[in-house]
Amino acid sequence: MRILGNRIALLAVGAAAFMAACGGSDGKSGMAAPAAAYHASLSLGGPATSWTSVKWGGGGYVNGLVYHPTTPNLLYARTDVGGAYRWNQAASRWDPITDGLGFSGAESGFHYTESLALDPTNDQLVYLVAGNGGKGRLYASSDRGNNWTWVALPFMVNGNAEGRAIGERLRLDPTNPSTMFYGSRNAGLWKSSDSGHSWAQVTGLSSYTMGSSAVGVEQIIFDNANVGGGQTTWNMWVAIAPDYATAAGLTSTFYRSSNGGFSWTPVAVPAAVAGYHIPHYARAADGMYYVVFNKNAGPGGEGPGYLYKYSGINGGVWTLLSSTTNGGYGGVSVHGGGPTTRIALAVTNTWGDFVGQKITQLSDDAGATWREIESQMPHTQTAAGYWGWNDDIEIDPNNRDHILHVDGPGIWETTSASSATPNWSVKVDNIEETATLAVITPPAGATYKLINSGGDIGTWVQTDLATMPTKGPTTDWVNGNSADMSWSDPQYIAAVGARNGAGGAGYGYWSGDGGATWANFASLPAGAAADGREASNIVVTARNKAIWAPSNAVPSYTTDNGASWTATNLPALTAFGGWSRAYRLAADRKNPNKVYAYDSGGVWWSGTPGKVYVSTDGGHTFTLSQGSVSAGLRANPWSVTSMAVNPNVEGDVWLADGDTVYHSVDSGATWTKLNNFASIFSNGNGWPDVQGASVVALGKAAAGAPYSAAIYVVGVINGQWGVWLSDDAGSTWTRFNDDAHQFGGIGAMAADWNTYGRIYVNGTGRGLIYSN
């Protein structure tokens, strides 16, 4: 996932992800969680409600593919911020396996998967390692990912850091799979002899621990083609990134052990690749190793890149097979052995497709000759590209003509690799890894279902939940931050975002025909271009009339469709460090002259109490609500707060301040605190493990309900995080999701005005998901 900023760090959130970014994924900054035993079993039970992904198709970085070596079609994919998936051959789709217990709102950082491994002797056993900068977790499943247990790891893990496609870092001894090794980013090599329950640093290699994140120990190579039997694999190699090798005083980036990992001896690599990364290797049936060296770690690591054949214990001879200075080499996979070994080689950091371009190379003679099998070949879809981050490639162990590789937006495959012109298609059905930053639904009867503002992909109008949208202002690499429509005329849409390729510069655009055509605003308000971060948001009061609150700037309004902008009288906000701050805006749908502006106070550790301002002239001037001051709203970052207005009643406003929910029925003059919700604080440092109320949304009411809207809140009641539903204006609440559907946390939500009980939520790197 390329998107940067606070939203990914606090996507679901509470402090769990933030704490991980500061050095404590286990919620205890700087403390190593014990690795003595698995936590209580995290069972995925039957869902209380069914959920379906809104169709996009990929949209994020799949950083690894892992086949089971003997069971046909058993394939897993790991992603950098969106958890992991298992291929469902019968349904021809990917099934998410990290949506349930163990991946709640307090655990969003563990959707960042750094490595995945399968037990070659038991195709039910799956292990994955996850974390986002603090101490990681090892998850274990005995039923292919349907249920998980986990153990806290004593070293740092970051599935969204540099070199995240390298590996696999987690390796099981193929003949004695209860023994496993892990190549950590900053603390060297680690070993477990009890299926991951406990871990010890392999000090025979190095006991050094770096003080910051690095690429570290990249992977382990077992010299063993056998499976099962219980015997220890004695001969093995370890690949070490140059950052850790230098810091730890190691004399090579490649070491060998002949005693099961107890002690290690440096192995000289060819002089041309001294100080290079080893992102992937593959072992052929004849015992030869095919090892990729690349100058940079990736994603999309710039070269030069080299592929060598290594004879291992049979002489330790390196033979150069291929090199490139146009891009680099990312991944390698082999099938067979001897002089007819098939080798698939992924060329990374090459962009575009033209005659002579290299994307995927194939050799059928153990590397003696090569041909390009993807550039200039037929592809079912080309808009997203199939080049760039080609950082992992796999030949199906049961079908040598079936080759898959990852790229920035997902996965590509061919089943005709031996053909002179292989056909390629995307393999991303039900992988949804876009990062929705905001979602909004129109009034009942509109021509579209929702507007999705997403990181990296921009703004899209969704007319069919089962089809990738086509109505958007651009296909460029941009962030969509916010969108709104005229409630009385929903064909008019205004939206704001940021151009990622232009330093994050903010910009705005509009459509007058429900998203069929778009145009940029003719001008921008003060501050909009300078800071396009995700806190920037816009509301529409009528066609051609909008108020835009740029990040860290005073909101401005337009009455001429963006031809000109005038600053409101709202006070300027003080930014806190790198945290994006803005007024959160909401328009009163019954009386569009009323607009509400919520200042969430900044950050919880040094902010000021939140407050609400109210406009009665269409968002031109605002007055502070003294009732909001008296309410004592908690200071919280913009990304963990929310405000929604009931479109059926004038002045009916709901607010989530990150800790609890407040309700006003008099246009913000007074506020009633709902005492149901409360953040969870257990770490003793003032930061919540998970926010008590971070998102509020209103949708169509239940038939016969006493209140004119259904209310949904992402938060915590009685210590349980989830999505909560009230049909009676907040008097009573029912948990709306269940333990099997937690999605790594939820940071954005909207409710449908056509269908009662339908909400749209974003998971952490899980795209947009709706309830049925």
Side-chain angles (χ1 to χ4, degrees):
M1 181 64 63
R2 302 180 181 121
I3 179 173
L4 304 176
N6 303 341
R7 193 65 168 193
I8 288 295
L10 281 171
L11 189 57
V13 305
F18 172 79
M19 284 299 297
C22 293
S25 280
D26 55 355
K28 301 173 178 63
S29 179
M31 297 178 64
Y38 284 123
H39 287 231
S41 179
L42 308 175
S43 178
L44 298 182
T49 308
S50 62
W51 298 81
T52 307
S53 289
V54 176
K55 180 71 172 181
W56 175 266
Y61 186 38
V62 176
N63 51 6
L65 298 169
V66 179
Y67 266 108
H68 193 273
T70 59
T71 301
N73 302 313
L74 185 54
L75 170 66
Y76 293 82
R78 60 179 171 92
T79 73
D80 54 358
V81 299
Y85 294 80
R86 181 185 65 242
W87 177 248
N88 185 329
Q89 179 69 11
S92 192
R93 69 162 189 260
W94 294 95
D95 289 339
I97 57 174
T98 50
D99 279 351
L101 278 168
F103 305 96
S104 70
E107 301 161 303
S108 60
F110 300 108
H111 256 201
Y112 295 50
T113 51
E114 187 172 76
S115 192
L116 191 149
L118 308 179
D119 188 324
T121 69
N122 183 347
D123 67 7
Q124 299 295 307
L125 292 178
V126 187
Y127 302 90
L128 67 86
V129 175
N132 73 333
K135 300 297 192 298
R137 286 180 180 176
L138 172 79
Y139 288 86
S141 172
S142 59
D143 56 9
R144 299 186 177 181
N146 293 326
N147 302 278
W148 296 97
T149 55
W150 61 266
V151 61
L153 294 171
F155 47 80
M156 177 179 60
V157 173
N158 195 338
N160 193 32
E162 180 188 11
R164 53 192 179 272
I166 286 174
E168 293 294 319
R169 294 174 179 269
L170 179 64
R171 295 283 183 174
L172 280 58
D173 186 331
T175 51
N176 184 23
S178 62
T179 295
M180 54 182 67
F181 288 82
Y182 197 84
S184 76
R185 286 188 172 273
N186 71 335
L189 182 64
W190 291 75
K191 178 182 179 180
S192 173
S193 300
D194 54 7
S195 299
H197 288 76
S198 61
W199 291 83
Q201 191 181 41
V202 180
T203 56
L205 178 67
S206 175
S207 60
Y208 187 75
T209 297
M210 299 177 66
S212 59
S213 179
V215 177
V217 176
E218 295 172 324
Q219 56 190 302
I220 302 90
I221 304 171
F222 288 102
D223 187 34
N224 194 340
N226 299 315
V227 172
Q231 298 298 312
T232 297
T233 299
W234 298 111
N235 290 307
M236 61 182 71
W237 289 266
V238 63
I240 305 162
D243 53 16
Y244 184 80
T246 299
L250 301 177
T251 58
S252 177
T253 56
F254 201 59
Y255 274 69
R256 177 191 173 188
S257 174
S258 58
N259 53 14
F262 180 76
S263 61
W264 296 82
T265 303
V267 175
V269 299
V273 294
Y276 275 45
H277 294 274
I278 302 176
H280 288 94
Y281 81 94
R283 187 184 193 277
D286 59 0
M288 293 293 108
Y289 289 90
Y290 295 84
V291 185
V292 167
F293 290 87
N294 203 59
K295 181 67 174 177
N296 290 284
E302 184 180 357
Y306 295 83
L307 177 69
Y308 281 86
K309 181 169 68 174
Y310 179 60
S311 62
I313 62 173
N314 299 312
V317 177
W318 296 95
T319 304
L320 178 63
L321 302 180
S322 181
S323 65
T324 185
T325 55
N326 176 27
Y329 287 153
V332 63
S333 184
V334 301
H335 192 282
T340 60
T341 300
R342 167 164 281 190
I343 311 170
L345 180 61
V347 185
T348 190
N349 199 46
T350 55
W351 302 91
D353 191 356
F354 46 83
V355 174
Q357 177 68 294
K358 293 182 179 180
I359 300 172
T360 300
Q361 296 272 293
L362 189 71
S363 173
D364 281 321
D365 52 14
T369 61
W370 296 88
R371 66 186 178 95
E372 173 61 34
I373 62 169
E374 187 162 11
S375 174
Q376 300 292 292
M377 301 301 172
H379 286 74
T380 57
Q381 176 184 324
T382 59
Y386 37 88
W387 49 78
W389 288 13
N390 190 356
D391 293 329
D392 187 26
I393 192 166
E394 300 295 334
I395 302 175
D396 185 336
N398 292 281
N399 180 0
R400 67 194 299 268
D401 280 336
H402 184 200
I403 298 177
L404 306 90
H405 73 79
V406 306
D407 73 343
I411 302 167
W412 285 88
E413 71 172 349
T414 180
T415 56
S416 56
S418 296
S419 167
T421 55
N423 288 283
W424 291 83
S425 59
V426 289
K427 192 185 182 77
V428 294
D429 190 23
N430 209 39
I431 286 184
E432 298 294 345
E433 206 198 345
T434 57
T436 292
L437 303 180
V439 58
I440 190 167
T441 52
T447 59
Y448 51 92
K449 304 289 187 182
L450 58 90
I451 306 173
N452 181 3
S453 300
D456 291 344
I457 64 171
T459 299
W460 293 91
V461 176
Q462 196 99 27
T463 58
D464 182 348
L465 302 179
T467 303
M468 184 177 180
T470 59
K471 293 185 175 183
T474 179
T475 58
D476 293 342
W477 180 33
V478 298
N479 285 357
N481 292 333
S482 171
D484 196 21
M485 77 291 295
S486 169
W487 203 252
S488 61
D489 180 12
Q491 292 296 94
Y492 180 81
I493 301 168
V496 297
R499 300 185 186 278
N500 294 325
Y507 75 114
Y509 34 92
W510 64 276
S511 173
D513 52 14
T517 60
W518 295 82
N520 287 348
F521 286 131
S523 66
L524 299 177
D531 192 337
R533 283 181 289 177
E534 62 270 19
S536 301
N537 65 111
I538 193 168
V539 295
V540 172
T541 57
R543 181 176 279 262
N544 301 330
K545 297 181 179 180
I547 306 94
W548 183 346
S551 177
N552 297 313
V554 173
S556 295
Y557 67 89
T558 181
T559 58
D560 53 14
N561 203 26
S564 62
W565 297 86
T566 303
T568 68
N569 66 333
L570 285 164
L573 299 177
T574 301
F576 291 88
W579 296 94
S580 183
R581 190 177 179 192
Y583 286 95
R584 186 178 290 276
L585 304 174
D588 195 306
R589 305 303 195 181
K590 273 293 185 181
N591 182 354
N593 285 321
K594 290 184 177 179
V595 180
Y596 308 95
Y598 169 37
D599 167 20
S600 67
V603 291
W604 53 71
W605 56 92
S606 61
T608 57
K611 55 184 73 73
V612 177
Y613 296 81
V614 182
S615 172
T616 58
D617 59 3
H620 300 185
T621 60
F622 288 81
T623 302
L624 175 63
S625 161
Q626 293 299 329
S628 71
V629 176
S630 302
L633 307 178
R634 180 176 170 84
N636 263 313
W638 184 92
S639 56
V640 297
T641 62
S642 180
M643 183 168 58
V645 179
N646 184 352
N648 301 309
V649 181
E650 181 178 342
D652 191 353
V653 189
W654 294 82
L655 185 149
D657 73 344
D659 189 52
T660 192
V661 174
Y662 291 83
H663 185 203
S664 175
V665 295
D666 53 14
S667 302
T670 60
W671 295 85
T672 300
K673 180 180 179 179
L674 278 65
N675 293 316
N676 313 74
F677 297 90
S679 299
I680 297 176
F681 295 87
S682 66
N683 49 47
N685 56 21
W687 295 323
D689 298 330
V690 63
Q691 303 290 155
S694 54
V695 190
V696 59
L698 276 61
K700 182 178 180 178
Y707 182 64
S708 60
I711 311 156
Y712 304 87
V713 173
V714 176
V716 178
I717 293 181
N718 295 327
Q720 185 177 51
W721 178 89
V723 180
W724 298 88
L725 165 66
S726 177
D727 292 315
D728 54 12
S731 296
T732 60
W733 295 88
T734 303
R735 192 180 183 206
F736 187 68
N737 69 323
D738 57 23
D739 287 345
H741 301 93
Q742 305 193 79
F743 311 119
I746 295 169
M749 176 174 63
D752 200 283
W753 289 102
N754 290 284
T755 304
Y756 169 72
R758 173 161 293 175
I759 61 173
Y760 306 90
V761 302
N762 72 339
T764 296
R766 277 283 287 114
L768 201 58
I769 308 155
Y770 67 95
S771 59
N772 295 302

